[in-house]
Amino acid sequence: CLTLRGALGFFASKLAPTEGRRKDFPVGAGLPAMVANDNAGCLTLRGALGFFASKLAPTGVGLFLSFGAYAFDLQQLSDQLAKPSVIHGSFIQEKHLRALPQPLTSKGTFVLARDHGLLWLLKTPLQQDYRINAQGIARRDASGWQPLPNKSAGAEQNRLFLAVLQGDSSGLQRDFELQLQGEAKAWKLTLIPRSLLLKQVFTQINIDGGELVHTIELLETQGDSTLLRMQDSTSTQPLSDAEQHDFAQ
C-alpha cells in the first residue's frame, strides 16, 4: 500500500498542455493536479486516481470534527477510502488562473490500484499517459514508460496526492491540520498546511466525497486554484491484463 511518504504526485500539472492554453504560456493542466510544475517553479494540482465541496455537518450546525472525535472521524474516513483494491473512473481538471478569463481544462480517465499506484490517462486536449507509484512519476512514450525527474517540490506533491486518494490520514497529518465535516455518505475534509513548503503554495485544500472521493479543490496563495472532479468512479472492476502490465513495467 502506498503511503504519503512513499509516492510523488500533486494537483496542478504543467507536464501537459491544456485546452485553451497559448503555446507560449508556461502553465498547463494534465497530471492529477498534484504533480508539480517544475518548469514554472510553482505547485499546482497535477496528477491522479482515487477520489474526494460543500460544508456538510452531521448535525446541521457546521461543527468541525477533528481527528478521533465524534461519530464520523478521520480513522473511519481512512478505513472507508482504503477499502477498494481498485478504482476506475474519469476526471475533469480545471486550472483557474488570475491572468486568464477561462479555466484551462483537461479530461481523461484513471485507475487507482491500492497495491500498485495510479494510472492517469489524459485524453484531451492531448493524449498522454502517466503512472504514479512509490518510485515516482513515469510518462509513456513510443518505447514504454520513462521515469521523470523527482524534484523535491514534485515529490511533496506526489506523496500528498496519493495520500489523499488512498485515505492516508496519518500521512496527511504530518503536513496538514485536518478538519472533517459530515458523515460517511457525504463528507468534506479541509486541509490547512502546516509545513513551510506547502504554506508557500496553498492556503487550503478542500476534498469532498462519499464512499469515494468526488472533488479536490486546491486554493493557492497567489489566488489561482485547481478543481479536480472525479466522475463515474467504480470499485467493482478488477485490473485488466493491460493495466496489470502497465503497473508491472
Side-chain angles (χ1 to χ4, degrees):
C1 178
L2 299 176
T3 65
L4 180 70
R5 293 182 176 81
L8 313 176
F10 219 1
F11 306 114
S13 170
K14 299 172 187 177
L15 295 180
T18 305
E19 184 176 354
R21 171 184 170 184
R22 286 171 35 197
K23 293 183 179 179
D24 60 341
F25 196 75
V27 179
L31 262 181
M34 279 199 167
V35 176
N37 186 325
D38 299 326
N39 295 330
C42 63
L43 305 182
T44 52
L45 177 87
R46 308 152 45 155
L49 311 177
F51 322 66
F52 300 93
S54 63
K55 296 185 178 179
L56 303 173
T59 62
V61 297
L63 180 65
F64 280 105
L65 303 183
S66 59
F67 183 72
Y70 306 108
F72 185 62
D73 60 27
L74 289 175
Q75 185 58 56
Q76 291 174 305
L77 176 59
S78 295
D79 293 344
Q80 177 172 301
L81 294 178
K83 283 182 181 179
S85 58
V86 178
I87 299 175
H88 292 81
S90 60
F91 68 85
I92 299 176
Q93 180 175 302
E94 296 179 355
K95 177 62 182 176
H96 296 262
L97 301 173
R98 293 171 300 162
L100 297 179
Q102 299 296 326
L104 304 176
T105 303
S106 59
K107 300 178 181 180
T109 61
F110 68 85
V111 182
L112 179 66
R114 184 175 58 202
D115 298 327
H116 301 286
L118 172 68
L119 296 177
W120 194 255
L121 311 176
L122 185 65
K123 304 300 183 183
T124 61
L126 55 74
Q127 293 190 359
Q128 182 65 70
D129 297 345
Y130 296 93
R131 183 184 64 201
I132 303 173
N133 58 22
Q135 285 68 52
I137 304 174
R139 180 171 54 200
R140 196 203 311 261
D141 63 18
S143 59
W145 291 101
Q146 306 301 324
L148 298 179
N150 285 334
K151 299 184 179 180
S152 59
E156 287 295 304
Q157 290 182 335
N158 285 326
R159 69 181 181 82
L160 174 59
F161 187 63
L162 283 174
V164 167
L165 294 182
Q166 295 181 324
D168 180 14
S169 63
S170 62
L172 290 172
Q173 282 183 307
R174 190 188 74 176
D175 292 321
F176 294 92
E177 174 190 346
L178 306 184
Q179 299 174 335
L180 177 62
Q181 293 175 278
E183 57 187 6
K185 295 181 179 180
W187 51 266
K188 177 182 179 179
L189 182 64
T190 301
L191 283 64
I192 307 297
R194 295 183 191 272
S195 70
L196 292 178
L197 173 62
L198 292 174
K199 282 183 177 180
Q200 293 174 4
V201 181
F202 301 110
T203 58
Q204 69 182 55
I205 298 173
N206 300 318
I207 306 164
D208 88 292
E211 181 180 353
L212 303 173
V213 174
H214 296 160
T215 65
I216 304 174
E217 181 185 34
L218 301 169
L219 304 179
E220 301 176 30
T221 55
Q222 296 181 348
D224 298 336
S225 64
T226 302
L227 178 63
L228 179 63
R229 297 197 297 271
M230 320 300 288
Q231 301 181 324
D232 305 319
S233 297
T234 176
S235 58
T236 61
Q237 302 175 17
L239 290 176
S240 67
D241 291 342
E243 290 163 352
Q244 293 184 46
H245 183 264
D246 284 337
F247 281 122
Q249 284 188 316

